[in-house]
Structures are given as C-alpha cells and as structure tokens.
Amino acid sequence: MSSPADAAIDLDGLRSLGDDVSSGVPDGDPATAWQRRKDSYKLISPLNRRKFSVIVVGTGLAGSGCAAALGELGYDVHSFTYHDAPRRAHSVAAQGGINAARARKVDNDSLHRFVVDTVKGGDFRAREADAFRLAEESVRVIDHLDAIGAPFAREYGGQLATRSFGGVQVSRTYYTRGQTGQQLQVAASQALLRQVARGSVTLHTRHEMLDLVVADGRAQGVIVRDLVTGEIGAQTAHAVVLATGGYGTVYFQSTLARNCNATASWRAHRRGALLASPSFVQFHPTALPVSAPWQSKTTLMSESLRNDGRIWVPRKAGDDRAPGDIPEAERDYYLERKYPAFGNLTPRDVASRAAKEQIDSGHGVGPLHNSVYLDFADAIGRLGKDVIAERYGNLFAMYRDATGEDPYTQPMRIAPAAHFTMGGLWSDFDQMSNIPGLFVGGEVGWDYHGANRLGANSLLSACVDGWFTLPYSIPNFLAPHIGSPVLPLDDPAVVDTANAVRDRVDRLLSVGGRTGPDRFHRRLGEILYAGCGVARSAETLTDAIERIRALREEFWSDVRVQGTGAEFNQELERAGRVADFLELAELMCVDALDRDESCGAHFRLEHQTADGEAVRDDEHFAFASAWETTPDGSRIRHREPLSFAAVPLQTRNYR
C-alpha cells in the first residue's frame, strides 16, 4: 500500500512495501478477546509437560515470571542471563510504581478508563485488544506480587496504597516507596530461584545470547557465549522466549544501565523476526541533565516525583539567578499553564517536548542551561518534610549523591533523556513473533504502548506477559508437538548458526583498528539525539541515515578489540553490541522517515499544530510498522492495520 506521503519523501533505496500481517485477535468485542482466546487454547496434561523444553532469555520481570511459571507447571526450562544473578536484571530501575485497574479508590477508576488512558496515551498506535488484556490481568498481577512478597505501601488501615502517574486523573499506581522495580524484581527472582532449587529450571548466568537457531521454519534454540570463558555453545528447545528488554542504550547516554543492549532481539530480527515501529522511543522528562562531556549515561528520577513536585523555568530567558531568588511572579510553571487539566502529570512525550521547547528557547537552568526545575517547596510546606521523605526518600538521597545538591532545600534539575522503547519485536495476540516458536515478553515486544508508554505501565506489561500471558500461549503452541524431540546439537542448523557467530567474533577481533567501541557508540548517540530525538524531520533523519552509514563503515575498518575471544573480554562484548546498534539505528531512522506523521513520542516537525501539538495522519498511518531485513540488507515494511472499537480515534487533549 502507498500513500501521498510516499511521494513527498524519497524513500527509494530505503525500503519496499510488503504484505499486511495479522494480529491474531479473535473477531468481536476487544474487551472479551483475551478470555475467548484463552478458552480456545490447547492444553497439555501435567504428565506431558516435562517432555517439553523451553528457553527463556532474560531474567527481568517478564523473563523471571515466565520461567518461574512454566517451571511451576512442570516444563523443562532453561533460563539465560548475562548477569551474575537474575535479580540484577534492569527491571530494578523502574522505581515509581506499577499500575492496576483495581478501582479500590473512590475516584471513578475502572477497567474501561484504564484502557482509554492506555490507548489514548499511546496516541492510537497500539492494539486495543492488548490494552484490554493489560487492564484485565493487572488486577491479578497486584494480588500475585503481594502474595510472593512484594512489600507494597499500605494505608493506615492496611489497604494497599496508590498514587497517580502521568496521563491519568485517577490513583491506580501501586508502589514500594521509590523502590518498586527493585522490590518486584527481588520477589520475581526469588520465585525463579525456587524453581531452580526444585530442578524444573536450569539457570545459566553470565551467558549472552548471540544468535537464534531457526530450523524447519521454527525457533528451536539459541547460540550463547560464556562471558567468563569465551566458549560459544548452543541450547536447543521446543520454544524460545526473548525477554531481553529495550534498546534505549542505542543513544549511548540513556537512563538504562550500560550493559543493556539490543543484540538478542536484533539477531532474532536478522533471522527473520519482524521488528515493529523501531522509531517509537520515549524520552523521559524526569532524568538528570548531562553535566559533563565525559558522562557515560544519564540518571533517571522517577516520574512519581511529579505527583508533588512542580516544574518551572524563569520567565525571562537567560535568567541565571539562584532559584530561591526568583519570585513567584517571575516563574513559568509551563505544564500547569499549558495543560491545566493534567498539569505536571501530563504524559511523558508531552512533558519532554515542553521541556525541550523551554531549553531550546533559552529558558534552561543550571550551569549548562540544559534543564528545568522540579520544585518540592510547596509540597514540603503543605505536607511536611517527613511525608515527602516517606514517599521519595531514597530518590532524594540518590539525587543528592549524584549532584551534591539537597532537593529538600532547593529544586531538582531535570531534563529529557532516552529511556523506554515502545518499538520492539513484532508479535501477535499470543505474544508469538512471525517465526513460529519464538515468543516475546516485556520491553523487547511492542504491542501495549503504541507511540508513548504511560508511566508505571512498564512493570505491569512485563508482569502480565511473564506471569499471565506466555504461560497460557506457549502450551498452545507446544501441544501439537507432543512426541517431537528437541533439535540435536549436531543438527546442521545449529552447527551453521554457531559457526556464523564464531565468524562474526573473529571478524571483530581481526579489524585491528585504533578506536575503541565506546567511541563509536558515543558518536552514534550524538547522531541519534540530533536526528531522531525528541523531535525529528525529514531533513534531520536523512542526514542521520547518511552519517550512520559512514560511521558503520568506519567502525568495521577502525574498531579496536583487544584480547581474544577465548577469555573474559568486555571490549569484545561491547564491540558486538555496538555493531548491532549501528544496524538498528539506521532502521530506526528509516522507520521514522517512513512514518510521515506525528504521533506520541514520534514527533515530526512537519506535522504539528500552531501551538506545537502532534498531528496524526490516521488515514494513511493507522498501522503498526513491521520491518523485515533481508539477508542482503534490504528492508521491507509490512503493516498491521489498527482499529479501535471501544476507544474511538480522537485527538489527544490534556488541557
């Protein structure tokens, strides 16, 4: 299918158009689609479950939950992580809270309102039926996590406490102070280790997945590298689950841990798995600003702080006075001014664009004038320091440790930074990719959040996938394969894939250049922030594509990887990940160039209203892009058309 947009931008040589893909959502009411789909699933009896082997890559909330649930059911599970322990997975970093449509507050919340907020928050670029599943299972998630030991905050009478997050007007976010991700990850990893102790899960730590084994048209294993010894080996199974997180570190300076990467998902993509909407990247408005050129990452301050903190800048551009010396009349609480209905709790994409607008117009604060203020003076005056410390004490301590400034006595300084990726491996309603037997869970997937994720929906979507979706849908795929053996390790598909991995490692080691991989990564991040950042245009994206191609060519002629592959070698690890980032980054820019509209966090400068709001093109772009990269590097854009029955298409309005 083509559109007028195809003629407006020269995309020749960048992509061709392929067939539509099917979501697999049952016909009928999206509100009941998940229950009807579960009722149609094939079952496997307890005595047959131990005959099936499943690989789960990643031990965050989605991976730990999936592996623990399948192990509890009796399947033979192999769990892989490149960390030294499962609890170190990056789910620990999402500290603000986890949403649930339990409607325990008397604020008129409901399942329907949850779906409306999620679909609208994603700017109508996600599956409506998946949003209903997220809402429905959210009730079970909280009860389950509470049962396995997550220490949720409670009201005086014992009821679980909630607070608000961006993009909503109700209180549905459950939390454990400012440590929610950490505490949920501890509970999930303990559930996983319980199955390890029982013998139903085999845990492989310090192993990184470097490729996917596809045989007979199915995903049947993975190739991994032992990060301690350097040994490259294989593990085969009846099905593979990728729960390996997002790719925000492609920007180099991001809120993610330095080790986060896209290699597992990108290697699966190069084996044929479609990649959905890779340009949909969220820039978190509540990160610490970059303070020095040597800085290797940014630090996230939880969105929960926007419950009580007020965001402002000086009304006068270039005002360098200390914040305490700027009177109220000379402050611009710009989110409260522009979006009075939601104020400081506007969705992340809106808040990030507004902050960038203030910084770019000369109203930025701090030594580098690259941030805005997040001020708690009013809340401390109204509630007292002890209440604020009870709600956010660890976050305030983290800010003080990072900046040397006391947020109890002076405003925090915050700025947008690359954070969450709404794009990811395409999957159908069963969470299965277009490669049969390859399932996805958590941020590595795409289906819930559209073009912008609402705060506190990330922990939820990971838990829903891991505990309450994949343990139902995977057996449905496995049931017809009763009696089928696991693929032998000497099968040609395994041997050929392992050899391809070895050849790639040898190629990285043999370049013999002068520049370390981190230097290339930093330069790639600079290109992406400039060309495919908070705002993009055809001009910036075209320039970014050209610069990425030149950088990739330079990488393969000048990268320096010291040491050998037969040892612990972190420079080799980083080089492999940067090589994948250099390919992924170009596809991100191609996707952003192809989507000639603004929606959510994908903000094209050519498509905005007079007052700077995003303008969607539902006539031509009401679909999820699903990209295929052929062996010769050509790109084919498939579509999954999106329709909305319960939440009619509308212009987002947070005013």
Side-chain angles (χ1 to χ4, degrees):
M1 174 181 177
S2 63
S3 74
D6 298 326
I9 298 174
D10 182 13
L11 290 169
D12 291 344
L14 292 179
R15 63 104 172 98
S16 57
L17 302 179
D19 297 332
D20 288 357
V21 293
S22 173
S23 68
V25 176
D27 293 336
D29 186 356
T32 62
W34 177 230
Q35 185 60 54
R36 288 184 285 117
R37 184 65 182 131
K38 285 193 296 183
D39 289 342
S40 72
Y41 279 157
K42 302 178 183 69
L43 302 178
I44 299 175
S45 69
L47 293 178
N48 282 326
R49 292 172 190 165
R50 63 176 178 267
K51 301 175 184 177
F52 287 104
S53 181
V54 179
I55 292 169
V56 181
V57 185
T59 58
L61 285 177
S64 286
C66 178
L70 291 175
E72 182 73 31
L73 289 168
Y75 295 94
D76 173 35
V77 181
H78 287 265
S79 173
F80 286 87
T81 177
Y82 58 69
H83 295 293
D84 55 7
R87 64 173 291 179
R88 292 179 63 85
H90 196 61
S91 295
V92 301
Q95 304 289 42
I98 177 171
N99 287 334
R102 291 157 58 92
R104 300 298 170 88
K105 292 284 187 181
V106 188
D107 58 4
N108 203 17
D109 196 12
S110 64
L111 289 175
H112 177 74
R113 290 187 186 277
F114 179 102
V115 173
V116 170
D117 289 340
T118 300
V119 172
K120 177 184 172 185
D123 215 356
F124 298 89
R125 292 298 178 258
R127 268 199 216 116
E128 190 177 56
D130 290 62
F132 273 104
R133 177 171 66 202
L134 196 67
E136 179 182 339
E137 297 293 3
S138 69
V139 178
R140 297 175 65 192
V141 163
I142 299 301
D143 289 337
H144 176 73
L145 293 172
D146 188 38
I148 64 174
F152 287 115
R154 296 179 182 270
E155 307 287 1
Y156 177 77
Q159 179 175 309
L160 298 184
T162 57
R163 55 191 178 201
S164 296
F165 256 60
V168 304
Q169 294 176 304
V170 295
S171 180
R172 66 164 71 107
T173 305
Y174 295 77
Y175 62 96
T176 63
R177 292 186 74 184
Q179 306 173 6
T180 311
Q182 180 178 340
Q183 296 299 333
L184 299 192
Q185 180 64 34
V186 168
S189 60
Q190 288 300 311
L192 171 62
L193 292 176
R194 177 174 180 266
Q195 298 305 317
V196 173
R198 292 182 62 199
S200 60
V201 175
T202 302
L203 179 62
H204 305 265
T205 58
R206 302 189 181 97
H207 281 73
E208 182 173 23
M209 174 185 160
L210 296 182
D211 216 332
L212 178 73
V213 177
V214 180
D216 300 324
R218 296 188 286 128
Q220 298 198 56
V222 295
I223 306 298
V224 296
R225 180 174 181 269
D226 186 321
L227 298 182
V228 177
T229 68
E231 180 182 0
I232 292 173
Q235 180 70 50
T236 56
H238 294 94
V240 176
V241 179
L242 294 189
T244 51
Y247 49 89
T249 39
V250 68
Y251 286 82
F252 187 73
Q253 288 179 338
S254 76
T255 64
L256 281 70
R258 288 294 309 282
N259 267 347
C260 292
N261 65 86
T263 288
S265 56
W266 185 253
R267 292 292 101 204
H269 172 65
R270 292 309 305 264
R271 289 291 172 187
L274 300 178
L275 189 64
S277 304
S279 65
F280 287 176
V281 178
Q282 183 171 85
F283 295 83
H284 201 295
T286 320
L288 299 189
V290 174
S291 59
W294 45 260
Q295 193 168 320
S296 63
K297 71 179 300 295
T298 53
T299 301
L300 176 65
M301 302 305 297
S302 169
E303 182 177 304
S304 62
L305 294 169
R306 292 200 278 149
N307 273 276
D308 291 302
R310 300 181 70 193
I311 296 173
W312 63 277
V313 294
R315 289 188 179 275
K316 180 182 177 181
D319 191 338
D320 284 331
R321 287 179 292 173
D325 295 337
I326 301 177
E328 282 290 314
E330 298 178 34
R331 300 180 179 186
D332 182 10
Y333 295 91
Y334 58 88
L335 289 179
E336 298 174 28
R337 170 175 56 82
K338 294 181 66 175
Y339 308 101
F342 285 76
N344 297 297
L345 287 175
T346 55
R348 292 176 178 177
D349 61 319
V350 175
S352 288
R353 285 199 299 274
K356 186 177 186 298
E357 179 183 90
Q358 295 297 326
I359 293 168
D360 290 347
S361 64
H363 293 82
V365 302
L368 301 181
H369 301 96
N370 62 346
S371 54
V372 300
Y373 287 129
L374 179 62
D375 197 338
F376 290 85
D378 286 354
I380 291 173
R382 184 177 69 255
L383 302 171
K385 180 178 178 180
D386 290 345
V387 172
I388 297 301
E390 180 181 343
R391 293 177 179 176
Y392 314 111
N394 67 306
L395 298 171
F396 276 44
M398 183 171 69
Y399 182 86
R400 184 178 60 248
D401 291 344
T403 66
E405 301 170 3
D406 183 2
Y408 290 106
T409 60
Q410 62 188 106
M412 291 182 177
R413 289 180 293 108
I414 59 171
H419 178 56
F420 187 91
T421 50
M422 285 76 65
L425 291 176
W426 180 87
S427 60
D428 63 15
F429 195 51
D430 298 331
Q431 295 296 115
M432 187 167 72
S433 76
N434 59 298
I435 300 177
L438 177 64
F439 293 82
V440 301
E443 191 179 349
V444 78
W446 76 279
D447 47 335
Y448 296 113
H449 309 300
N452 175 63
R453 175 178 64 78
L454 293 185
N457 267 358
S458 62
L459 294 178
L460 175 61
S461 57
C463 289
V464 167
D465 286 348
W467 293 107
F468 298 115
T469 303
L470 294 170
Y472 290 105
S473 62
I474 292 173
N476 177 68
F477 168 78
L478 295 175
H481 299 285
I482 290 178
S484 299
V486 170
L487 190 69
L489 293 179
D490 60 357
D491 186 272
V494 179
V495 175
D496 291 347
T497 307
N499 286 337
V501 169
R502 294 187 182 95
D503 290 345
R504 183 176 173 83
V505 169
D506 290 343
R507 185 184 176 198
L508 287 166
L509 291 166
S510 64
V511 173
R514 299 169 299 174
T515 307
D518 280 354
R519 295 289 184 92
F520 289 101
H521 193 183
R522 182 184 292 273
R523 290 167 61 189
L524 175 63
E526 292 169 354
I527 292 170
L528 285 176
Y529 266 110
C532 193
V534 175
R536 309 94 184 264
S537 69
E539 181 179 0
T540 67
L541 291 165
T542 302
D543 178 66
I545 291 170
E546 293 174 354
R547 295 173 65 193
I548 290 168
R549 287 176 171 175
L551 184 64
R552 186 167 65 243
E553 183 176 343
E554 183 182 344
F555 173 88
W556 283 108
S557 64
D558 191 43
V559 69
R560 181 201 67 231
V561 182
Q562 297 178 324
T564 72
E567 62 181 342
F568 176 71
N569 190 339
Q570 288 188 305
E571 194 163 73
L572 175 60
E573 297 169 33
R574 286 194 288 268
R577 295 166 185 174
V578 173
D580 290 329
F581 279 147
L582 286 165
E583 295 181 11
L584 168 62
E586 184 177 339
L587 181 57
M588 291 168 60
C589 293
V590 171
D591 180 51
L593 187 59
D594 178 65
R595 185 170 287 276
D596 195 21
E597 65 162 351
S598 289
C599 58
H602 170 64
F603 188 76
R604 286 283 296 266
L605 293 171
E606 304 95 327
H607 303 289
Q608 57 180 309
T609 63
D611 53 359
E613 300 299 328
V615 176
R616 292 195 322 265
D617 181 356
D618 294 327
E619 180 181 356
H620 300 114
F621 292 99
F623 60 81
S625 300
W627 290 91
E628 173 188 355
T629 300
T630 64
D632 67 0
S634 301
R635 299 179 185 88
I636 303 172
R637 190 255 282 157
H638 304 271
R639 308 179 324 147
E640 182 193 317
L642 300 172
S643 60
F644 301 92
V647 188
L649 285 165
Q650 58 191 271
T651 300
R652 296 167 82 204
N653 184 359
Y654 294 98
R655 297 180 186 275

